[in-house]
Amino acid sequence: MKRLDREFYSQETIDVARALLGKILVHRLPNGRELRGRIVETEAYLGAEDPAAHSFGGRRTARTEAMFSKPGVSYIYFIYGMHFCFNVVTAPEGTPEAVLIRAVEFSDGGGNGPGKLCRAMHLNRDQNMRDLTTDQEVWIEDAPNIPENQILGGPRVGIGDRHDAVHWPLRFGVRGNPALSPAKFPP
DNA sequence: AGCCCGATGTCCT
DNA sequence: GGACATCGGGCTA
């Protein structure tokens, strides 16, 4: 299967968030085993203009440095003392936008949140700032698009009440997928 | 179904 | 010192 290329990640951030639904996140472990999960929930973070983004106002620190990378680079950060979250950088180098992968579905079923999926797929600091278009351990494979009428939009979750950013419709999920938390996608 | 809370490290003020 | 792009358990009903 073909891996997603630079052109894919160079689309508008919101379009990348929608287009990533249905694609396959792959982590090849040192022992050669591949962990694979189908992306079923994403969320866009619109860089300097987005009060909910780590890069709001153009903040550039050791942690947020990855967000300033080329499209297709991973941004993994540590949160709440115990969880990692996996993002893919979008927008041109120097423009700190990204898409958070909020849930994947495994072939044996089983849903996940952004922290759980990193634990399940053994993703941590070691996989930060990888170029997913060339990396030998982490990448995303192409797969059929989810039809527009099966994509749910929803308000954001877990970002407090920063301005109105909570209500921006930047979170997307695959309609009816059991890996989504249904309560967070109101009808 | 909801709400509250503790776990536990790192970042930023 | 407070907040945090989270999760699971325990509670109220």
Side-chain angles (χ1 to χ4, degrees):
Chain A
M1 209 69 176
K2 188 170 79 90
R3 79 163 67 193
L4 300 178
D5 57 15
R6 190 85 59 211
E7 186 179 354
F8 178 93
Y9 298 114
S10 300
Q11 302 172 83
E12 288 290 319
T13 299
I14 290 183
D15 293 332
V16 174
R18 277 190 283 249
L20 276 174
L21 296 174
K23 310 303 188 202
I24 312 297
L25 175 61
V26 185
H27 184 193
R28 184 183 171 84
L29 302 178
N31 66 13
R33 193 156 87 89
E34 287 182 0
L35 302 175
R36 313 169 68 83
R38 182 169 168 268
I39 298 171
V40 295
E41 185 179 341
T42 62
E43 180 171 338
Y45 283 87
L46 303 183
E49 314 300 315
D50 183 351
H54 293 161
S55 53
F56 179 54
R59 182 166 23 136
R60 188 165 189 164
T61 65
R63 178 175 65 148
T64 66
E65 184 59 30
M67 288 190 76
F68 291 80
S69 307
K70 290 182 292 191
V73 170
S74 63
Y75 169 42
I76 301 180
Y77 62 88
F78 187 62
I79 190 73
Y80 292 120
M82 60 178 72
H83 294 294
F84 293 95
C85 292
F86 181 90
N87 304 247
V88 189
V89 175
T90 57
E93 187 163 18
T95 302
E97 305 192 7
V99 173
L100 170 66
I101 309 301
R102 293 198 59 93
V104 298
E105 169 188 64
F106 298 106
S107 48
D108 57 11
N112 273 288
K116 283 176 65 182
L117 87 85
C118 281
R119 185 158 53 94
M121 294 195 65
H122 296 225
L123 295 167
N124 56 62
R125 276 183 253 286
D126 297 340
Q127 285 77 42
N128 189 33
M129 283 194 65
R130 299 294 186 90
D131 185 347
L132 304 183
T133 68
T134 57
D135 197 81
Q136 294 304 296
E137 291 181 29
V138 194
W139 64 89
I140 302 176
E141 287 181 3
D142 200 7
N145 285 327
I146 302 300
E148 196 65 34
N149 64 11
Q150 288 190 68
I151 296 180
L152 291 173
R156 305 165 110 184
V157 179
I159 59 172
D161 190 10
R162 292 183 241 195
H163 306 77
D164 293 326
V166 196
H167 309 294
W168 297 3
L170 298 180
R171 197 163 57 91
F172 304 102
V174 177
R175 181 186 296 277
N177 191 283
L180 302 181
S181 37
K184 293 178 179 173
F185 275 104

